[in-house]
Amino acid sequence: MAKKQPSLLEFQRRFPDEASCARFLFERRWPDGFVCPECGGTRSCLLKSRAYTYECVACGRQTSVTAGTVMHRTKLSLTIWFWAAHLMATHSNGMSAQQLKGQLGLSYSTAWLLAQKLRRSMVDPEREPLEGVVEVDQTEMPFRADNSFFEITKTGKMIVIGAVEVINHATGKAQKPKALGRKYLDTLSGRIRLAAIPSNHAPHIHAFIKANIAPGATLITDGHASYLGLADYRHDPRVVGNMAAHIPLKWIHRVFALLKRWSLGTYHGLRRQHLDTYLNEFVFRYNRRFYRHVSFETILGLAIHRSPVSYWDITGQQNPRKDAPTPRRNSRRRKTVEGMRQDGAAPVRHAVSPLEIGDQ
Ligand SMILES: [Zn+2]
């Protein structure tokens, strides 16, 4: 049923060079031809001085085909971005930086940043709250403090809270709530939500539930005291006691088991600092597991226009050079269609029809 995905080789034939990627971006951005975001003008010229940038003839506003995507102001080639996004999209478990490095011949640090940026687009765009009957539970996820493996002093555990919608197998729709304590048999798992929380105290748990589950839903939990006092929900605690917890909370336990296997298999354990990004990716893939095809366009950020994320945003560090004037001995170099160009050198500008870009 699902459309067969092209292999990386087929994909590389479709996007063999920068021009083919740029043409694709142009067509996605302006399917009916160039439109200036400033004045609505439709006449433009392609700048030779800056890569894939069009200048409005009417008002002079310059717009890059990569503006608003993860690729904006990148030093990497568009083909690398396209191919990496294709690999992330077609491997149902995703790709670690180590795997991208091997596939695309990049340095580890470049591959790592590329993977992080691509992963940030994998946030469920339609985060409608979960409804109906929802299992909620917590688990501990091991994490690594840094890139060192198997060093017991550098590992720890984080609490992850999760929720999963219970679906009725026969109808394929949200399970109707039953009287408290009644068993839900013959069910399926629906959409999920996950988040890392600093502790299992009530404020953190309540905040997660309010943010992710629609009021009026029935919450099936292990009866932990932190679930009490949620006025807008119907609480159906299952006292786990001697019974294994995976019996009354079957679906959320299956989600946690998959999450742990995935984090070890694909990423050899998660790093604490980036846990939310990984959890978002897992939720994104899980909620689409019957439609394995995540488009590479989604991963490139073409579907949703979001502001680009910098290295400093991802690592959570302060950019030491932010707002500081940059002392330069030589003027800055820019990437242009014809390679690097020194700033200040005379820009060459040709008025061409936008679609001639491939023939440059
Ligand atoms: Zn304009």
Side-chain angles (χ1 to χ4, degrees):
M1 218 162 49
K3 214 172 77 194
K4 190 183 162 288
Q5 290 304 303
S7 68
L8 180 60
L9 201 63
E10 288 166 320
F11 189 82
Q12 288 176 334
R13 280 200 199 107
R14 185 176 164 207
F15 295 108
D17 51 23
E18 297 299 283
S20 54
C21 298
R23 197 182 308 122
F24 178 84
L25 293 174
F26 183 94
E27 284 163 7
R28 278 303 310 266
R29 179 169 296 261
W30 296 299
D32 304 316
F34 176 86
V35 180
C36 173
E38 185 78 27
C39 74
T42 54
R43 292 179 60 218
S44 68
C45 45
L46 174 64
L47 296 186
K48 282 223 161 177
S49 53
R50 292 178 64 192
Y52 318 119
T53 302
Y54 294 83
E55 188 175 288
C56 172
V57 171
C59 75
R61 160 83 177 251
Q62 297 182 349
T63 310
S64 162
V65 291
T66 59
T69 74
V70 289
M71 293 161 285
H72 201 45
R73 297 193 192 284
T74 179
K75 291 195 175 61
L76 290 172
S77 65
L78 298 179
T79 48
I80 290 288
W81 281 100
F82 273 54
W83 298 348
H86 175 78
L87 287 169
M88 286 286 247
T90 47
H91 286 69
S92 53
N93 288 327
M95 277 241 155
S96 66
Q98 197 66 41
Q99 290 167 314
L100 280 184
K101 168 179 179 266
Q103 290 275 341
L104 299 174
L106 305 168
S107 72
Y108 181 78
S109 57
T110 302
W112 182 82
L113 194 59
L114 183 60
Q116 283 291 331
K117 286 194 175 187
L118 293 174
R119 225 168 258 142
R120 298 217 158 198
S121 300
M122 286 196 256
V123 178
D124 211 335
E126 31 185 298
R127 290 182 79 102
E128 293 290 311
L130 307 185
E131 299 173 324
V133 178
V134 180
E135 291 180 9
V136 188
D137 202 8
Q138 303 143 51
T139 192
E140 286 187 333
M141 284 290 291
F143 64 82
R144 302 187 266 130
D146 57 23
N147 267 331
S148 54
F149 293 92
F150 313 121
E151 261 187 73
I152 204 77
T153 55
K154 289 192 174 163
T155 59
K157 287 193 170 176
M158 291 275 295
I159 299 172
V160 170
I161 185 167
V164 54
E165 271 176 342
V166 177
I167 300 292
N168 184 296
H169 192 181
T171 65
K173 300 211 170 85
Q175 172 69 47
K176 295 224 165 56
K178 298 183 180 181
L180 298 183
R182 288 281 300 278
K183 283 193 177 114
Y184 291 96
L185 302 169
D186 206 18
T187 56
L188 299 169
S189 107
R191 296 172 300 158
I192 63 166
R193 295 280 182 263
L194 296 170
I197 50 174
S199 81
N200 60 5
H201 295 154
H204 302 305
I205 287 180
H206 290 193
F208 171 81
I209 288 172
K210 285 177 185 162
N212 293 287
I213 304 174
T218 296
L219 308 180
I220 300 184
T221 74
D222 62 5
H224 190 280
S226 293
Y227 293 109
L228 302 178
L230 275 159
D232 296 337
Y233 299 88
R234 182 169 170 264
H235 190 197
D236 189 356
R238 303 295 162 113
V239 178
V240 177
N242 293 330
M243 208 197 313
H246 60 80
I247 296 170
L249 295 162
K250 166 170 139 179
W251 292 116
I252 193 63
H253 280 259
R254 194 164 293 184
V255 167
F256 289 152
L258 277 175
L259 173 67
K260 286 174 188 180
R261 203 190 307 156
W262 172 78
S263 70
L264 288 173
T266 307
Y267 297 118
H268 304 290
L270 305 180
R271 290 200 274 176
R272 171 162 57 181
Q273 200 185 354
H274 305 291
L275 195 59
D276 284 325
T277 307
Y278 291 110
L279 294 179
N280 282 337
E281 180 185 354
F282 182 84
V283 168
F284 183 91
R285 291 184 184 281
Y286 187 93
N287 288 349
R288 282 163 187 70
R289 68 200 182 284
F290 301 122
Y291 316 93
R292 283 291 175 153
H293 175 43
V294 181
S295 81
F296 80 98
E297 298 174 42
T298 305
I299 293 178
L300 283 176
L302 305 188
I304 319 148
H305 284 270
R306 58 179 75 242
S307 45
V309 184
S310 74
Y311 171 82
W312 304 105
D313 295 329
I314 290 172
T315 55
Q317 296 172 56
Q318 197 83 59
N319 180 352
R321 294 186 304 278
K322 193 174 181 221
D323 299 327
T326 316
R328 292 185 196 279
R329 277 191 297 161
N330 298 312
S331 56
R332 204 159 78 147
R333 280 148 46 88
R334 288 179 189 278
K335 194 170 80 183
T336 76
V337 188
E338 290 162 339
M340 298 303 282
R341 182 180 69 83
Q342 204 75 31
D343 249 16
V348 195
R349 197 196 285 173
H350 293 276
V352 290
S353 131
L355 291 177
E356 280 171 33
I357 184 170
D359 308 315
Q360 299 297 308

